[in-house]
Amino acid sequence: MSNQPATSATPLELRRYLADASSFIVAEAAKIIKDHAVPELIHELVAAFDRLMIDPEESDKQCRAKIDIVNALNRLEYVEPDVFLRGLTHRQDRRFGAPPGQDAAGALRAFCAFGLVRIAHPGAVLLLTELLLDSDDTARAGAARALGGAGSSAAVPLLRYKVRTGDRLDDVIGECFAALLALSFEASWPFVAGYLEAQGSALQGAAVFALAETRRPEAFAVLRDFWPGAPADLRESLLVALAMFRLPAANDFLIGLIAGKDPSARAALSALAIHRQNPMITASIAAAVETNGAQSVRGWFRKKFPAGS
């Protein structure tokens, strides 16, 4: 159903689907409304959410329909807080095979957190503080991500505290790093960069990619300077992160590794493959490969840049 193009009859059909007893049908309808942005169905989305919150573990066992409804409301820039506030505290523990503490509504709470931040709800930071302590991994990661968009300096010490106290899931701390950099890059990059020295910790990788996602020249300089002493098990990921900057200086650094016959030349080629459609960058890479001269590097270039070889 979601692959069907929107027509003038779509709103009428979607109203019927949103009222269907099957949560699968409701979820598919909500996805279409989100994808095609059908604002006239906002009230029907809210009504469907309200209905699915009645005996929710029976009417929407995996919480998928409620999640898709909230996603649609966010896409349509719905501004009333009630649905998001209700979803933020909803738990739905009947998820077969789920680890302890994880529940079907974890993602719902995460998307509702985003909704509250999006509408600038006055109590959002306080509410998200509670969510940052949630037992569900997805909910905690969503809380950190939403705090990054809150635009409030009050979230900075909260996120730092969460990083310092840790989390059983490294991805949650990675989201905290990204949120801190989004809220206050100048104040936060030294704090995040400090975790590059956390030897043997997965937080090194989380810090690398959080810095790379900013695409800021200052962050590139930090990772470039980190390269010589980077641990062996992080070097390929670090090259990928450097390529993510898409900055001329970053491209030149990676190309220089190839031309300079660095042991990581093939990994640098793999990282630079994101530029395979750019003829100017590809030509510079090809020249570096020729300078390198190793047959293994030439063969890897042909594999990664078939059009440029």
Side-chain angles (χ1 to χ4, degrees):
M1 182 171 66
S2 59
N3 293 326
Q4 297 299 316
T7 68
S8 59
T10 297
L12 182 60
E13 295 169 358
L14 290 174
R15 281 189 177 91
R16 187 170 71 252
Y17 294 142
L18 285 173
D20 199 277
S22 167
S23 62
F24 174 79
I25 297 297
V26 175
E28 288 297 302
K31 288 176 185 175
I32 294 174
I33 293 168
K34 175 177 73 72
D35 292 342
H36 295 287
V38 189
E40 58 264 43
L41 294 179
I42 281 179
H43 295 301
E44 285 80 358
L45 285 166
V46 173
F49 183 89
D50 290 342
R51 189 180 76 252
L52 292 169
M53 287 291 277
I54 300 170
D55 196 12
E57 293 177 348
E58 290 301 322
S59 61
D60 184 22
K61 287 184 171 62
Q62 296 301 317
C63 217
R64 290 171 184 161
K66 292 189 288 292
I67 290 169
D68 286 322
I69 287 170
V70 167
N71 279 334
L73 290 172
N74 278 323
R75 171 69 174 82
L76 297 172
E77 300 185 352
Y78 182 62
V79 297
E80 298 300 324
D82 184 61
V83 167
F84 304 127
L85 289 170
R86 293 177 67 196
L88 191 72
T89 58
H90 179 61
R91 306 193 73 88
Q92 197 161 311
D93 294 321
R94 294 182 187 174
R95 187 166 68 177
F96 178 76
Q102 311 301 290
D103 71 283
L108 175 66
R109 296 195 292 279
F111 290 122
C112 285
F114 171 77
L116 289 169
V117 167
R118 181 184 54 77
I119 66 174
H121 184 69
V125 172
L126 182 59
L127 291 168
L128 268 57
T129 300
E130 294 296 322
L131 195 64
L132 205 55
L133 302 174
D134 200 279
S135 61
D136 187 271
D137 297 340
T138 303
R140 293 195 310 283
R145 194 178 309 116
L147 283 167
S152 171
S153 59
V156 172
L158 171 62
L159 289 162
R160 284 198 178 207
Y161 182 75
K162 178 59 180 175
V163 171
R164 291 301 195 198
T165 55
D167 194 278
R168 66 167 176 256
L169 190 69
D170 294 327
D171 286 351
V172 173
I173 302 302
E175 293 289 355
C176 290
F177 286 155
L180 283 165
L181 292 168
L183 285 168
S184 178
F185 177 83
E186 295 298 336
S188 296
W189 78 257
F191 175 79
V192 175
Y195 283 85
L196 295 175
E197 304 305 321
Q199 296 292 331
S201 168
L203 294 186
Q204 280 185 298
V208 163
F209 282 103
L211 287 164
E213 285 169 3
T214 69
R215 297 190 178 181
R216 298 279 292 261
E218 304 96 315
F220 162 68
V222 169
L223 295 186
R224 178 200 60 206
D225 294 345
F226 175 60
W227 167 256
D233 61 352
L234 188 62
R235 290 175 84 80
E236 286 194 19
S237 295
L238 178 54
L239 292 175
V240 171
L242 287 165
M244 286 170 55
F245 281 93
R246 295 180 180 268
L247 293 171
N251 296 339
D252 290 345
F253 176 79
L254 293 168
I255 291 170
L257 293 178
I258 300 166
K261 302 183 181 182
D262 190 276
S264 299
R266 293 208 331 172
L269 273 172
S270 295
L272 284 165
I274 61 173
H275 298 295
R276 61 168 61 93
Q277 302 302 323
N278 186 314
M280 291 184 64
I281 297 177
T282 298
S284 296
I285 296 168
V289 168
E290 289 307 307
T291 299
N292 181 288
Q295 288 303 316
S296 62
V297 173
R298 285 173 173 163
W300 200 247
F301 174 67
R302 287 193 294 271
K303 180 176 180 180
K304 293 296 179 179
F305 294 80
S309 59

